[in-house]
Amino acid sequence: MNDITAPIAKKVPHKMVIHNHTRVDDYYWMRDDTRKNPEVLAHLAAENDYTKAQLLHTEAMQEKIFQEIKARIEKDDSSVPTKKGDFYYSSQMQGENEYPIYVRSSDFSGSNLEVLLNVNELAKAHDYYQVSGLSASPDGKLLAYGEDTVSRRIYTVQFKDIAGNSLLDDKLEGTNGGIVWGNDNKTVYYIKKDPQTLLGYQVFRHTLGTPQAEDEMVYEESNKAYYTGLSKSKDGSSVFIWHSSTEASGVSVIDADNANAMPKRFIDREEGHEYSISKMNNWYYINTNWQATNFRLMKVHKKHLGDKTQWQDVIPANDAVKLEDYELFANHLVYQQRENGISRLTIQELSSGKKQPLSFNDTAYTLALYGNNEITNSKLRLYYSSFTTPGTHYDVDLNTLDKTQLKQAKVLGDFDSKNYASERISVKARDGKKVPVSLVYRKDKFKKDGTNPLYQYAYGSYGHTIDPSFSVSRLSLLDRGFVYAVAHIRGSEMLGRPWYEDGKKLTKMNTFTDFIDVTKDLTAQGYGDKENVFAVGGSAGGLLMGAVMNMAPEQYKGIAAAVPFVDVVTTMLDESIPLTTNEFKEWGNPKDKAFYDYMLSYSPYDQVKAQDYPNVLVTTGLHDSQVQYFEPMKWVAKLREYKTDDNVLLFKTDMEAGHGGASGRFKRIHDTALQYSFFIDLLNKG
């Protein structure tokens, strides 16, 4: 690597005192909410220049990996059409286009295709462009969509006359990007965001043809620990306002046929009660954790709305099995459960109660229900994938259970799934708990003798569970002999809700020690070379990376941390920062000394110390709306100050992107190629 000097940040001591404890943050000055401070921008530019110089010798490798990943992707590709109302909706990717073209047809075959939105045309004038929340009016004549040109996830909603191919004058500013239509085709509901905290907390009703300033606020969330969402019931009769916090949730219902209706609570919100609802005819179905740790499905007649005592069991509680999802059809209930970490589907006939399981071949896989918009449909649409099976779309006959494969993602080139193998194993953590691990490798490159490089990934927060799924880009690692592992550590819900509860707030340390214990066990079993372990995580997974490299730096040769949440204590004490108040039930509120002390014990930024660290690549986006750019910026500056090794520490900021990285399907591959090249270069250096 080049001898260019790493940027050294100035130090401006900033004292913070709470609970009679003082912390001094020398890099607090790096926070600039306007993102226009010349000194801050100059330092970020210097870091980018340093990273580019240090990785200059890998650019040929980056380009090679970029091209091989790109070459596997089918340039002309379409999504599987899903029916809603009178039309089948889908999207198309064409040639070198970075963005989709959204289309619809009156039949599944697409014989009379109609273009709704060509995102490539809309994106031409912008460095960053993101469309969200496409939604056609009930009569199919108008299209609403949100657009973000900054990557702060604040959207402007536009309305398009589909037949006339022209925009209406209506424009809704400062929204979360989605709308829900009333049934009169002119009333829409949307969520407005706080421009500082980025919290969507107000629901407005807009009538097409009127100024946004005249919109009526129908709901305002006063509790900043709650997120607000919007959707429409499957039967089209109701608009649902979702109230979601980490440990409680609720729903308010609006009559979609009445443009003057106000929301009514489904039931009063209760601390610790999480639930969601669906509606079919006169019945509401409720997925609830009421007296059910792993949730159960219940139902109640609409005449008993608001009365929980009238709820009836449909799928009883089972402490060993978590209810994850369900779909309602005219005479069938389809439900998805997770048992011992594996998702399973059951199709139940409502009239007879007959239940039939739906089986799959792989030992571990990703399973998702989608596009099931019609209650009267006789088929279930689902998506299936595994480490060795490219994404596959099926229609399943609800009566016979016959599966019709609609599409499987094509992998161009010489890909053959038979060349790869996957495993699901358990690793014993230091406290005796067994942590599931999913592995995939190329058979002819794998020896299980401790010589393969190991790429270990995890997330481990918010109950988010990462099931094994196929990745075209991952082949570039597997074909070079890497073993790829996903550690299903505590903080996820891989083993049900208790697995999540044992990895948050005052048990968060389990998330980090699980990851380290998985590393040690995989190398001890010969799955990976203990001298060549590479760890990866993003966002809350970036917190994981920061924690493990403080706790066990000797275990990892290289670490990649994307948009990492690393300044935990300072961020959680500042309610002006986006997401902070919503996260108290996940991390704890440090205004409580018990949480403050515990957070301080693992916060990556606060725990940086004089020791050897692995080689590290940190990436972020200047406009990140979830983890602010200054968290990784400060962290890197402090690491540079304290680390005692000669390993490389690189920091790259995308000056146009936010939390999700670059927009565009091929632009994103450059980020992947950069990370892979960073690791492969370290591996080649020995």
Side-chain angles (χ1 to χ4, degrees), residues 283-321:
W283 290 87
Y284 287 95
Y285 286 73
I286 311 111
N287 186 0
T288 173
N289 72 340
W290 178 41
Q291 299 176 352
T293 300
N294 274 322
F295 290 77
R296 57 176 166 165
L297 189 65
M298 307 185 78
K299 68 177 183 179
V300 66
H301 196 277
K302 68 176 184 179
K303 68 183 178 184
H304 296 304
L305 191 68
D307 185 357
K308 197 167 66 171
T309 65
Q310 297 296 319
W311 291 8
Q312 306 169 25
D313 261 334
V314 178
I315 302 172
N318 185 335
D319 287 345
V321 181

Side-chain angles (χ1 to χ4, degrees), residues 226-512:
Y226 279 80
Y227 292 101
T228 302
L230 278 176
S231 70
K232 199 170 188 180
S233 62
K234 199 168 176 177
D235 64 5
S237 68
S238 305
V239 175
F240 294 150
I241 303 177
W242 301 96
H243 321 296
S244 306
S245 70
T246 303
E247 294 181 341
S249 60
V251 188
S252 296
V253 182
I254 304 176
D255 183 352
D257 291 317
N258 182 354
N260 298 307
M262 297 302 287
K264 297 178 181 177
R265 294 275 195 197
F266 185 73
I267 57 168
D268 290 335
R269 286 197 315 218
E270 302 173 40
E271 187 64 30
H273 186 202
E274 301 172 58
Y275 73 93
S276 60
I277 64 172
S278 295
K279 184 174 179 292
M280 186 167 70
N281 301 323
N282 294 322
W283 290 87
Y284 287 95
Y285 286 73
I286 311 111
N287 186 0
T288 173
N289 72 340
W290 178 41
Q291 299 176 352
T293 300
N294 274 322
F295 290 77
R296 57 176 166 165
L297 189 65
M298 307 185 78
K299 68 177 183 179
V300 66
H301 196 277
K302 68 176 184 179
K303 68 183 178 184
H304 296 304
L305 191 68
D307 185 357
K308 197 167 66 171
T309 65
Q310 297 296 319
W311 291 8
Q312 306 169 25
D313 261 334
V314 178
I315 302 172
N318 185 335
D319 287 345
V321 181
K322 184 175 184 292
L323 177 64
E324 295 202 316
D325 198 8
Y326 67 99
E327 282 286 352
L328 291 167
F329 297 90
N331 191 38
H332 291 89
L333 165 67
V334 180
Y335 55 94
Q336 184 174 350
Q337 296 172 302
R338 185 179 297 274
E339 184 174 10
N340 294 323
I342 304 298
S343 283
R344 309 196 188 283
L345 273 184
T346 302
I347 297 177
Q348 178 178 340
E349 193 174 80
L350 292 175
S351 57
S352 67
K354 180 184 177 183
K355 299 177 182 180
Q356 299 183 81
L358 200 60
S359 59
F360 300 91
N361 294 328
D362 296 293
T363 54
Y365 45 80
T366 292
L367 198 60
L369 312 180
Y370 80 99
N372 296 290
N373 304 311
E374 310 284 316
I375 285 179
T376 56
N377 202 338
S378 62
K379 295 178 180 178
L380 169 77
R381 174 69 57 80
L382 64 84
Y383 171 86
Y384 177 85
S385 176
S386 74
F387 272 154
T388 56
T389 306
T392 311
H393 303 258
Y394 293 99
D395 269 350
V396 181
D397 188 297
L398 291 169
N399 294 300
T400 65
L401 268 62
D402 290 338
K403 291 198 289 275
T404 301
Q405 181 176 310
L406 304 173
K407 178 182 178 179
Q408 184 173 78
K410 289 184 180 178
V411 183
L412 304 183
D414 60 355
F415 169 76
D416 185 343
S417 63
K418 295 185 180 66
N419 291 333
Y420 305 88
S422 65
E423 297 182 38
R424 170 64 67 85
I425 66 171
S426 290
V427 165
K428 192 173 182 180
R430 62 192 65 184
D431 64 355
K433 295 290 179 69
K434 291 185 176 180
V435 181
V437 182
S438 298
L439 299 152
V440 62
Y441 45 81
R442 183 171 173 126
K443 293 177 185 177
D444 60 359
K445 301 279 188 179
F446 179 59
K447 298 177 182 177
K448 204 180 178 182
D449 62 356
T451 60
N452 287 85
L454 175 65
Y455 181 111
Q456 184 176 319
Y457 175 79
Y459 185 74
S461 293
Y462 304 104
H464 179 59
T465 300
I466 301 168
D467 282 311
S469 62
F470 190 80
S471 165
V472 164
S473 60
R474 188 187 301 133
L475 297 175
S476 291
L477 288 177
L478 304 184
D479 290 350
R480 287 173 170 83
F482 278 78
V483 172
Y484 182 96
V486 176
H488 305 293
I489 53 184
R490 278 172 277 188
S492 75
E493 287 187 336
M494 179 55 75
L495 297 181
R497 177 50 64 98
W499 198 244
Y500 169 39
E501 298 293 341
D502 207 17
K504 71 175 187 180
K505 290 195 291 191
L506 297 177
T507 58
K508 189 64 200 170
M509 199 66 78
N510 289 333
T511 300
F512 315 134

